[in-house]
Amino acid sequence: MTEFVVVGCGVIGLYTVACLIEKGVEPTKISIIAEHLPGDQSIQYASPYAGAYFSASVEMELLPYSNYTYQNLPKIQEMLKNISSPIGLGMCPSTEYLDEEMSKEELDKVSEVIEDWEYLPKEKVEKISPGSKCAIKYKAWIFNSPLFISSLLKSHKARGVSVLRKKLLNISEAYSESTKVVFNCTGNGSATLAGVLDVKVYPTRGQVVVISAPHITECFSKWDDDSTYIIKRPDSQLNEVILGGFYQKNVSDATTYGYETDDILLRTTKLYPKLLLDNPWGNTISDLQILRVVAGARPSRNGGVRIEKEILDKKRILIHNYGAGGCGYLSGLGMAHAAVSLLDE
Ligand SMILES: Cc1cc2nc3c(=O)[nH]c(=O)nc-3n(C[C@H](O)[C@H](O)[C@H](O)COP(=O)(O)OP(=O)(O)OC[C@H]3O[C@@H](n4cnc5c(N)ncnc54)[C@H](O)[C@@H]3O)c2cc1C
């Protein structure tokens, strides 16, 4: 009989189920309820559209969650050994050019957990990347996001977790007689779901271009007024690489635009000429093998993530876990660990 209900089947809901199982909850007592499941495509479902990679330049507030995620993803690899297929999780070298120097506190906190860490100060990067204040190099986790969330769901179901596809109009619909706790992992849905109706939640649109690029074996990004990134996808038969992108606040338009694609291709090839120089199909932008162009909406929240326990009607326990913005893969396991830890409070 269901005792724990997780509403939402994006990466946050799936990490939350993983943490419940790790805590010792019997999987047959866990149910997932979600409108969208892995395999679906909707602007209301951010997780399939993420690059996704582990960026080491997150805000201070997210650092405890991202550091936890970085260190504990091997547990997820172990957990997913119950499915025999590739899971869409790997590691590769990553370089980020930043338009602000990292504070000593940030540097200390990040560098103590991240492997192969190197910090390049302004004088070492300004010639290579004009305008950048520093660069960081490290070994990053990379996610094949559609495959990774499908693998998590497959693994959870194989253990006995049940899944119900349903759109809830009110969070109270998640409770049955046997329910002890509901986890709200509805991302952007938290803005419109009655019983939650969080006015701080807003979508941040991003468009990405997915190319086939067997010659790319690393991630590369530059953060300034633009967000320019190149992310290698692991366990991809077509050697997918994600080129991005945009951070458009309060936009949830699923349409993709040719002028945005052109802008992404110009920025990424300028930042990282290897995309063209070593491309097996030719050395101009038009030689890039574009597989698809997609747009997704990050579930952002003014004030940051919401990980909070609430008691409804003096008896029902509701634990919120949403608002991951552009960081659900890289900080989500830490967020889920924190949310599940609230069971003990
Ligand atoms: C272009 C792009 C690039 C990105 N790159 C990265 C990256 O490199 N690294 C990284 O860490 N992150 C990245 N992200 C961010 C990442 O995708 C999100 O942080 C993450 O997917 C959020 O997961 P979530 O589970 O909170 O939300 P979602 O994936 O949106 O899932 C929400 C779930 O809740 C369900 N739901 C909502 N409302 C209801 C309701 N009323 N009833 C029932 N179910 C409901 C939905 O159906 C869905 O199952 C990127 C995002 C985009 C769009």
Side-chain angles (χ1 to χ4, degrees):
M1 220 180 320
T2 296
E3 293 182 5
F4 297 85
V5 177
V6 174
V7 186
C9 200
V11 71
I12 299 297
L14 291 160
Y15 275 149
T16 301
V17 173
C19 288
L20 283 169
I21 295 172
E22 199 211 350
K23 193 177 169 62
V25 173
E26 170 58 44
T28 55
K29 293 184 176 166
I30 305 172
S31 286
I32 297 172
I33 301 177
E35 182 183 7
H36 303 100
L37 300 173
D40 293 351
Q41 291 183 357
S42 163
I43 196 75
Q44 301 302 331
Y45 190 29
S47 293
Y49 300 99
Y53 83 138
F54 184 96
S55 162
S57 62
V58 297
E59 300 136 37
M60 276 299 272
E61 302 76 55
L62 278 180
L63 266 183
Y65 306 126
S66 58
N67 277 355
Y68 182 92
T69 306
Y70 192 90
Q71 289 180 299
N72 287 280
L73 279 169
K75 286 188 191 162
I76 296 290
Q77 284 176 317
E78 196 56 38
M79 183 177 260
L80 268 55
K81 280 192 175 153
N82 69 334
I83 56 169
S84 50
S85 38
I87 63 165
L89 176 63
M91 290 190 108
C92 77
S94 178
T95 304
E96 295 186 58
Y97 288 110
L98 310 179
D99 63 351
E100 278 178 32
E101 286 183 83
M102 287 178 83
S103 68
K104 183 170 179 328
E105 195 187 353
E106 279 173 306
L107 279 173
D108 288 349
K109 284 198 170 144
V110 176
S111 58
E112 73 190 18
V113 302
I114 290 185
E115 291 174 40
D116 301 344
W117 178 260
E118 195 184 343
Y119 181 77
L120 305 179
K122 189 176 171 187
E123 48 286 9
K124 286 204 175 170
V125 298
E126 57 194 354
K127 276 202 187 129
I128 323 167
S129 174
S132 297
K133 296 277 169 53
C134 69
I136 49 178
K137 286 172 173 269
Y138 54 93
K139 193 171 167 188
W141 286 102
I142 41 173
F143 307 82
N144 183 330
S145 25
L147 177 60
F148 183 61
I149 55 172
S150 296
S151 305
L152 279 165
L153 183 61
K154 199 171 162 190
S155 165
H156 295 338
K157 280 167 80 173
R159 286 191 160 78
V161 173
S162 58
V163 181
L164 174 66
R165 183 193 285 277
K166 185 179 177 189
K167 177 173 179 156
L168 302 184
L169 298 178
N170 192 308
I171 194 71
S172 62
E173 294 167 37
Y175 293 85
S176 66
E177 282 291 298
S178 58
T179 309
K180 286 186 176 161
V181 182
V182 169
F183 287 86
N184 168 31
C185 307
T186 54
N188 277 322
S190 287
T192 50
L193 177 60
V196 183
L197 294 181
D198 188 337
V199 293
K200 293 182 179 169
V201 170
Y202 63 91
T204 302
R205 179 183 175 277
Q207 176 167 318
V208 297
V209 181
V210 186
I211 61 166
S212 177
H215 56 300
I216 302 304
T217 54
E218 62 182 330
C219 297
F220 224 88
S221 48
K222 180 171 179 173
W223 306 108
D224 48 21
D225 291 342
D226 295 318
S227 316
T228 308
Y229 54 86
I230 296 109
I231 302 176
K232 177 173 176 55
R233 270 199 169 160
D235 298 331
S236 157
Q237 284 181 349
L238 292 174
N239 297 298
E240 286 179 0
V241 168
I242 309 303
L243 307 179
F246 292 95
Y247 270 77
Q248 297 161 342
K249 285 187 172 187
N250 286 307
V251 182
S252 56
D253 177 4
T255 313
T256 57
Y257 297 95
Y259 64 88
E260 291 191 344
T261 296
D262 292 344
D263 185 41
I264 289 169
L265 295 176
L266 274 178
R267 279 191 276 131
T268 50
T269 52
K270 185 173 170 217
L271 173 66
Y272 190 56
K274 187 180 167 75
L275 276 170
L276 297 181
L277 290 175
D278 295 346
N279 182 21
W281 293 283
N283 307 118
T284 68
I285 284 182
S286 58
D287 293 319
L288 289 172
Q289 298 292 298
I290 297 179
L291 301 172
R292 59 193 178 277
V293 179
V294 294
R298 303 167 180 91
S300 307
R301 184 171 183 270
N302 286 316
V305 299
R306 183 178 184 199
I307 300 169
E308 190 182 332
K309 187 172 175 178
E310 208 185 328
I311 309 292
L312 303 179
D313 310 324
K314 296 188 182 164
K315 56 180 192 304
R316 293 167 161 177
I317 302 174
L318 175 62
I319 297 180
H320 298 284
N321 184 13
Y322 62 87
C327 301
Y329 284 82
L330 72 93
S331 62
L333 189 57
M335 288 170 61
H337 176 73
V340 168
S341 299
L342 292 176
L343 289 172
D344 302 325
E345 287 182 9

